[in-house]
Amino acid sequence: SMEDAQDDKHYSHRQGVTVYGDEMNSRGFADASTYIKYLDRGRVETIEEICKNAGSMSWLEEYIVNVYRIDAYTQTTARLGHRLDVLTGLRSTSSHRAAFDQRIINVTTGEVSVDGVVEVLFLNQDRKLVPVPESFPFSDDQREPPSHVRREPVEFSDDSHFPFRARYRVYYEDTDTQGITYHASYVRFCERALFDMVRTAWPEMSMMAWMQKNRMNVARLDIRYLQA
């Protein structure tokens, strides 16, 4: 519940956001890639706050903070104008990996919208893996990620499991400050592929008819980034 999330000292950082019109899908909900952007904002503000309080250079200036894995559940939907709070807690999972436990609370409705964990790696300017910064607030919190039992990923070599292929080009708008594909862009590519697959599987059905018949929302994201 919202009260439990507010009382949990692990989520010691808070960033407020508002759902704007350009962040919604055609059904009037914030979509999956929007939630990832909100989580990003929460992590950036958390990093800046920690480094400012420590009197040190921002990790975002000193390192390349690479998202390694996202495991997030969408529990409720957010609509236009809703006020959201992104709650963030930190813990190290190894000498070279850290986790940001994050929740998105819908202040307007009092519900949890997203519950997730984002794991990151720290790279130097030569893109070499380095240990988690000494200024990282190490936590003894050994909580489990909010995911259910994780499924083993299907082998990429299993062509029979991946019968449909969609091809996209990466444009400037899809990249980040390092000039590589921004991790939220991959979610957009996957969403586009879903629509292209529908066109192939049911060519007789218009996209609008399919959307009205199947009013689905993304319930879970479990992503591991292997290569830029």
Side-chain angles (χ1 to χ4, degrees):
S1 67
M2 181 178 180
E3 184 177 356
D4 292 338
Q6 290 176 329
D7 291 341
D8 192 338
K9 294 181 180 179
H10 179 66
Y11 295 90
S12 55
H13 301 272
R14 181 184 300 266
Q15 170 71 17
V17 297
T18 301
V19 181
Y20 294 116
D22 60 349
E23 298 172 327
M24 300 187 309
N25 58 29
S26 59
R27 287 164 291 170
F29 302 133
D31 57 22
S33 56
T34 296
Y35 286 132
I36 290 182
K37 289 190 290 186
Y38 291 161
L39 296 179
D40 282 359
R41 295 177 195 175
R43 290 196 307 281
V44 168
E45 294 300 330
T46 295
I47 289 173
E48 293 300 301
E49 181 180 338
I50 290 173
C51 294
K52 180 179 179 181
N53 292 339
S56 61
M57 179 187 298
S58 170
W59 300 336
L60 299 174
E61 295 180 20
E62 189 172 358
Y63 306 99
I64 298 171
V65 183
N66 244 30
V67 173
Y68 168 75
R69 176 175 167 253
I70 297 175
D71 191 0
Y73 283 84
T74 302
Q75 300 187 30
T76 58
T77 55
R79 292 181 175 272
L80 177 65
H82 279 185
R83 287 287 300 166
L84 311 177
D85 275 349
V86 182
L87 309 183
T88 303
L90 299 84
R91 58 190 167 88
S92 59
T93 53
S94 72
S95 61
H96 288 70
R97 191 177 303 170
F100 289 79
D101 298 310
Q102 296 188 279
R103 283 177 177 166
I104 297 180
I105 306 294
N106 191 322
V107 179
T108 303
T109 65
E111 299 174 316
V112 176
S113 290
V114 176
D115 203 4
V117 58
V118 179
E119 290 188 86
V120 302
L121 305 172
F122 290 84
L123 310 177
N124 61 22
Q125 299 305 318
D126 295 326
R127 305 196 65 82
K128 301 296 184 181
L129 183 65
V130 296
V132 175
E134 294 183 1
S135 55
F136 190 91
F138 289 90
S139 170
D140 294 330
D141 191 340
Q142 297 300 317
R143 68 181 56 215
E144 289 295 319
S147 60
H148 300 160
V149 177
R150 293 194 64 204
R151 299 181 180 89
E152 288 299 317
V154 177
E155 293 293 333
F156 293 130
S157 58
D158 185 0
D159 292 336
S160 62
H161 188 78
F162 299 99
F164 179 77
R165 182 183 298 269
R167 180 170 294 174
Y168 305 107
R169 187 184 301 278
V170 177
Y171 294 107
Y172 288 121
E173 66 195 61
D174 301 313
T175 59
D176 60 19
T177 55
Q178 279 86 45
I180 62 176
T181 304
Y182 178 51
H183 59 269
S185 295
Y186 289 108
V187 179
R188 292 197 296 269
F189 294 155
C190 290
E191 289 174 333
R192 294 171 190 172
L194 171 63
F195 280 85
D196 287 340
M197 183 183 70
V198 170
R199 290 190 182 98
T200 301
W202 298 285
E204 72 284 355
M205 182 181 295
S206 70
M207 186 56 62
M208 188 59 67
W210 183 86
M211 290 173 59
Q212 292 173 346
K213 181 180 179 181
N214 302 281
R215 305 182 70 86
M216 66 180 190
N217 289 301
V218 175
R220 178 186 180 186
L221 294 172
D222 188 354
I223 307 169
R224 179 179 174 187
Y225 295 94
L226 303 175
Q227 184 176 326

